[in-house]
């Protein structure tokens, strides 16, 4: 897992930087994150019902939170040399 991808996704979503979020969607190795971003951006651009957009946004944010929790649990297992 690359924790930087989750931090970037959260930052780009918070700042409404949709172009950067799209680039992250293409470059990330996490396919679940990529799909969550894709669904949110599609809803944001094409959906007229705000509740659908909100549902996809919350789904993306929940996944980012979940992935960050998992990466924090795995972090102590790595050595200092792997972190640098």
């Amino acid at each position: 897992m690359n924790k930087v991808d989750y931090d970037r996704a959260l930052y780009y979503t918070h700042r409404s930087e949709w172009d950067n979020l799209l680039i992250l969607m293409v470059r990330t190795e996490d396919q679940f994150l990529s799909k969550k971003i894709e669904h949110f951006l599609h809803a944001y651009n094409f959906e007229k019902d705000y509740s659908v957009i909100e549902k996809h946004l919350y789904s993306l944010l929940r996944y980012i939170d979940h992935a960050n929790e998992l990466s924090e649990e795995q972090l102590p297992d790595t050595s200092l040399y792997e972190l640098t």
Side-chain angles (χ1 to χ4, degrees):
M1 288 186 187
N2 190 355
K3 186 173 164 91
V4 175
D5 286 348
Y6 308 122
D7 291 339
R8 286 182 181 162
L10 186 60
Y11 178 78
Y12 296 152
T13 303
H14 175 71
R15 302 283 294 169
S16 300
E17 294 183 10
W18 309 136
D19 292 338
N20 289 331
L21 193 60
L22 180 65
I23 292 168
L24 177 63
M25 178 188 83
V26 172
R27 290 185 178 171
T28 187
E29 294 179 8
D30 184 341
Q31 296 302 312
F32 289 114
L33 178 61
S34 181
K35 272 296 179 193
K36 296 289 185 183
I37 293 171
E38 178 185 359
H39 290 164
F40 167 68
L41 290 177
H42 185 271
Y44 184 82
N45 286 309
F46 300 110
E47 189 62 48
K48 294 187 182 351
D49 184 7
Y50 183 75
S51 64
V52 175
I53 299 169
E54 186 178 37
K55 180 186 100 175
H56 287 293
L57 172 63
Y58 289 152
S59 177
L60 172 61
L61 294 176
R62 277 194 309 271
Y63 179 73
I64 292 170
D65 185 49
H66 170 73
N68 270 330
E69 286 178 6
L70 288 179
S71 63
E72 287 176 3
E73 289 173 3
Q74 293 176 354
L75 194 60
D77 295 336
T78 60
S79 70
L80 288 175
Y81 298 109
E82 292 177 13
L83 295 175
T84 56

